[in-house]
Amino acid sequence: MCYNFYMSKLDDIVSLCKRRGFIFPGSDVYGGMAGTWDFGPLGVMLKNNLVNTWWSHWVDQRDDMFGIDAAIIMNPTTWEASGHTATFADPLIECNECHSRFRADKLVDGYSESITTEEFKAINPACPNCGKTNWGSIRKFNMMFSTHVGAVLPEDESGSESDKELARRSIAYLRPETAQGIFTNYKNVVDTIYPSVPFGLCQFGKSFRNEISPRDYILRDRECSQFEIEYFVHPNTWAENFETIRKEYLDFLTNKLGLKAENIHELEVSEEDRAFYSKRTIDIMYNYPNGEEELMGIAYRTDYDLSNVAKASGKNMEYRDKITGETFVPHVIEPSMGLERAILAILSEAYYEDEMDGETRVVLKLPENLAPYKFCVSPLLKNKPELVEKAKEVYAKLKAKYTFVTWDDSGNIGKRYRKQDEIGTPKCVVIDFDTLEDDTVTVRDRDTAQQIRVKIDEL
Ligand code: GAP
């Protein structure tokens, strides 16, 4: 059965994720920390499976892609050169009555980050906190988290001129995108492994954004993770490379992450809504239970980044073609996807409720490559030592072969099946009295609940 009550489907996913140890609110025990989320034992397995699936597909199985893993705290020149210090800002508006602060464009429909105070006040929405309509002016709020690197004391910021200078010069930022760690390593990679253009550098890792209003469960976080690829191409071939990557990514989303094509929608971003450095951007939107939202973006960033790195570092970022000898600064196609948004899309796609044995069953129909456990092994009866002993033997064998195998001898067999359905385990293996006779086991399928007998050696 397809679930139609979208808001309640999201509530059901949130509840399942907490109940079964996939996702907890960050710092839960202390009342939470807005915009942060912690992955529990099953969540971290799902997350690792997603990371491995992505890495294997985009890096290991290709000859034109290579991985890097750059530091999170980078030289602050990075963010001057990239434009983040000047422009990575959202429109902040404050209610003059209750002093709550909001992202202005999220309070009115149809506006982007470039909304002006005049446009906002022409609509004059009610404050979501106090209901009044007495607003201040829109201010630009830079979303980078800053910190001090080195032995700087809080009092240095208001101390002597040299203390203030020390404090000022020690400011660094937690990276707001992983991409800059790729651009700043472009020359290191070219000078060490001599890849031929077109080639891609891939990175997965944490990014930090001090979002004014984190929201929509794990969709807009202050600490998130990104899968980013910078694909370096000859300037004349950007359009065809863009097209190829777009198609390859859509295939990846449907074939490897199990997202249905009908839930994915491409949005050609208009010139006025694109980042100023981008000549073309497609947002890949996903039909989440609470509405359509951006899952990822594919942007043509021209040579904006490499040229800025060249200017700010004084280093040459030109590439010399090995056959023609032509030199040029490569242009870049960038597919960028958030891990949390991918996880919520995967969970939304996989979550089903159906009727089984007169009861409502919750089942996560996760693709096998993403399911935390591939098998669950159980003895039919926990109080029969001969069944338990044989089941342990089968468990050890499967664990050695597939690693992600769990053991369950709690409750009755029906309850075990329900529990494994909820966490997305594709197959449950049950050892019963026939097993002792003929070395066959029952294998029960998560999606159909059908059971077949299989020889242990054939598992
Ligand atoms: N390097 C390009 C870049 O960072 P972006 O559109 O700002 O572009 C890319 O981010 C992707 O990262 C988004 O499509 C989304 O999947 C994810 N993302 C961005 N901000 C996020 C946030 N605050 N919380 C969760 N995911 C986020």
Side-chain angles (χ1 to χ4, degrees):
M1 178 182 85
C2 216
Y3 215 94
N4 281 324
F5 305 101
Y6 292 132
M7 275 318 285
S8 92
K9 178 172 173 181
L10 182 64
D11 292 343
D12 290 341
I13 292 172
V14 174
S15 149
L16 170 71
C17 283
K18 182 144 198 215
R19 189 169 75 246
R20 291 297 186 194
F22 281 92
I23 302 171
F24 306 123
S27 313
D28 201 13
V29 74
Y30 295 119
M33 177 81 190
T36 70
W37 298 91
D38 295 342
F39 285 86
L42 291 181
V44 87
M45 294 174 88
L46 173 60
K47 174 175 163 170
N48 287 345
N49 289 343
L50 171 59
V51 174
N52 293 339
T53 297
W54 186 84
W55 196 267
S56 154
H57 183 88
W58 292 105
V59 185
D60 296 339
Q61 289 175 29
R62 291 186 65 131
D63 296 327
D64 59 341
M65 300 269 199
F66 309 92
I68 72 153
D69 190 7
I72 286 173
I73 299 176
M74 302 177 69
N75 185 314
T77 308
T78 310
W79 310 111
E80 294 288 341
S82 66
H84 281 81
T85 314
T87 62
F88 192 62
D90 273 347
L92 172 72
I93 194 139
E94 183 168 330
C95 169
N96 285 336
E97 301 287 336
C98 69
H99 300 289
S100 300
R101 293 177 174 187
F102 302 95
R103 210 177 124 168
D105 56 323
K106 295 295 171 197
L107 296 189
V108 289
D109 279 342
Y111 280 91
S112 68
E113 293 103 35
S114 55
I115 185 170
T116 63
T117 303
E118 292 64 42
E119 286 168 338
F120 185 88
K121 288 196 173 166
I123 295 160
N124 220 20
C127 169
N129 187 46
C130 70
K132 308 266 173 52
T133 52
N134 179 8
W135 297 102
S137 297
I138 290 178
R139 289 174 284 171
K140 285 285 173 197
F141 173 72
N142 193 297
M143 289 191 290
M144 286 197 291
F145 277 102
S146 64
T147 183
H148 289 285
V149 171
V152 179
L153 299 165
E155 51 267 38
D156 289 334
E157 286 183 75
S158 51
S160 68
E161 281 312 308
S162 66
D163 286 347
K164 279 191 203 153
E165 177 61 9
L166 175 73
R168 195 189 60 74
R169 289 201 307 141
S170 70
I171 289 177
Y173 301 96
L174 304 186
R175 67 180 178 203
E177 62 170 10
T178 62
Q180 295 305 322
I182 298 181
F183 295 122
T184 50
N185 276 293
Y186 161 81
K187 192 169 164 48
N188 284 337
V189 173
V190 169
D191 291 348
T192 47
I193 62 165
Y194 311 110
S196 296
V197 164
F199 73 91
L201 292 182
C202 306
Q203 179 166 219
F204 166 74
K206 291 268 183 183
S207 290
F208 301 84
R209 299 179 180 195
N210 197 1
E211 297 283 351
I212 297 169
S213 327
R215 62 186 167 84
D216 294 334
Y217 190 35
I218 56 174
L219 284 194
R220 190 164 296 280
D221 313 317
R222 292 192 167 127
E223 178 178 334
C224 64
S225 297
Q226 290 180 308
F227 296 100
E228 299 208 291
I229 301 174
E230 304 304 331
Y231 199 67
F232 298 98
V233 304
H234 188 285
N236 294 343
T237 66
W238 77 265
E240 64 214 54
N241 278 297
F242 190 102
E243 205 42 31
T244 307
I245 294 218
R246 185 183 74 78
K247 286 195 187 126
E248 287 173 347
Y249 227 111
L250 289 172
D251 272 0
F252 172 78
L253 296 177
T254 48
N255 294 334
K256 297 286 171 71
L257 305 195
L259 307 185
K260 286 199 196 78
E262 71 219 41
N263 287 328
I264 295 170
H265 164 219
E266 292 175 72
L267 184 79
E268 189 79 47
V269 180
S270 67
E271 191 174 347
E272 67 157 4
D273 286 338
R274 280 199 302 260
F276 62 91
Y277 52 76
S278 171
K279 287 266 174 63
R280 186 181 180 196
T281 298
I282 289 180
D283 283 344
I284 309 274
M285 312 295 286
Y286 180 77
N287 188 16
Y288 290 99
N290 48 336
E292 197 174 70
E293 273 282 354
E294 178 187 323
L295 162 65
M296 62 171 290
I298 305 179
Y300 167 42
R301 292 179 76 125
T302 67
D303 60 349
Y304 171 81
D305 299 276
L306 285 187
S307 294
N308 283 338
V309 174
K311 263 185 247 145
S313 67
K315 308 256 166 65
N316 185 358
M317 295 292 140
E318 279 177 333
Y319 171 85
R320 187 180 160 79
D321 190 284
K322 288 167 198 158
I323 297 164
T324 63
E326 182 190 0
T327 55
F328 56 91
V329 176
H331 282 213
V332 166
I333 314 294
E334 179 198 63
S336 173
M337 180 173 76
L339 170 119
E340 290 75 8
R341 292 189 190 189
I343 294 268
L344 189 57
I346 290 163
L347 289 171
S348 310
E349 197 76 63
Y351 186 96
Y352 282 83
E353 289 187 9
D354 57 17
E355 289 247 324
M356 199 158 280
D357 306 330
E359 284 177 8
T360 302
R361 166 180 90 135
V362 173
V363 54
L364 274 189
K365 296 186 181 179
L366 292 168
E368 244 171 69
N369 57 311
L370 299 176
Y373 295 113
K374 313 302 171 202
F375 290 98
C376 171
V377 179
S378 310
L380 180 64
L381 299 168
K382 185 183 173 178
N383 58 0
K384 296 286 172 202
E386 62 277 35
L387 292 186
V388 174
E389 193 187 332
K390 187 72 183 170
K392 289 221 157 128
E393 213 180 275
V394 174
Y395 172 73
K397 198 172 165 184
L398 288 184
K399 186 97 181 156
K401 193 165 169 191
Y402 298 105
T403 309
F404 302 107
V405 180
T406 186
W407 169 269
D408 194 357
D409 59 9
S410 61
N412 63 38
I413 199 73
K415 285 215 170 85
R416 289 180 218 161
Y417 287 155
R418 294 292 174 278
K419 180 175 158 197
Q420 296 305 320
D421 289 343
E422 274 203 358
I423 64 172
T425 308
K427 302 274 187 254
C428 285
V429 174
V430 179
I431 284 72
D432 54 24
F433 291 105
D434 288 344
T435 313
L436 304 178
E437 301 297 319
D438 61 7
D439 258 5
T440 63
V441 290
T442 298
V443 178
R444 183 245 187 207
D445 180 78
R446 172 196 69 196
D447 298 347
T448 61
Q450 277 180 353
Q451 302 185 8
I452 52 169
R453 293 299 290 187
V454 177
K455 282 258 177 217
I456 292 171
D457 286 345
E458 288 165 12
L459 283 171

